[in-house]
Amino acid sequence: MTDDGLLPEHDGRPGDGGLSARAKAVLALERRNWAGPGAKERAIREELGLAPVRYYQILNALLDDERALAHDPVTVNRLRRVRQARRAER
């Protein structure tokens, strides 16, 4: 995948699958369950220091990145199915 500036640079640690710490944190946050409205957006701002719009841009780019699929196949495949279902509804 070509980097269009949405994904943070690789953090260079051996055996990390080529994903940056931020990319891994985005996937980890996406794995969690959220209690109520606004909780996820608050966590995005507080834990990652990102605006929700930027978070979703990075997440969407990660769904097309094979490194993300290798790192967390369950989460990436689930989100790919959700994205595809939403596109099919349009």
Side-chain angles (χ1 to χ4, degrees), residues 35-50:
K40 183 176 182 180
E41 285 72 18
R42 189 169 37 257
I44 291 168
R45 290 183 189 281
E46 292 174 0
E47 295 176 23
L48 301 178
L50 295 170

Side-chain angles (χ1 to χ4, degrees), residues 8-84:
E9 293 296 318
H10 170 27
D11 57 14
R13 288 179 287 183
D16 68 356
L19 290 177
S20 69
R22 181 191 287 179
K24 290 177 185 176
V26 166
L27 290 172
L29 195 95
E30 200 58 37
R31 278 193 300 269
R32 293 168 38 188
N33 292 323
W34 302 100
K40 183 176 182 180
E41 285 72 18
R42 189 169 37 257
I44 291 168
R45 290 183 189 281
E46 292 174 0
E47 295 176 23
L48 301 178
L50 295 170
V53 169
R54 180 69 176 145
Y55 170 85
Y56 288 110
Q57 289 172 337
I58 292 170
L59 179 61
N60 195 47
L62 280 170
L63 296 183
D64 296 324
D65 192 329
E66 294 303 315
R67 296 172 297 176
L69 181 63
H71 176 74
D72 192 348
V74 172
T75 301
V76 171
N77 282 323
R78 176 180 56 84
L79 293 171
R80 283 179 174 179
R81 285 190 304 272
V82 169
R83 181 174 69 177
Q84 187 59 37

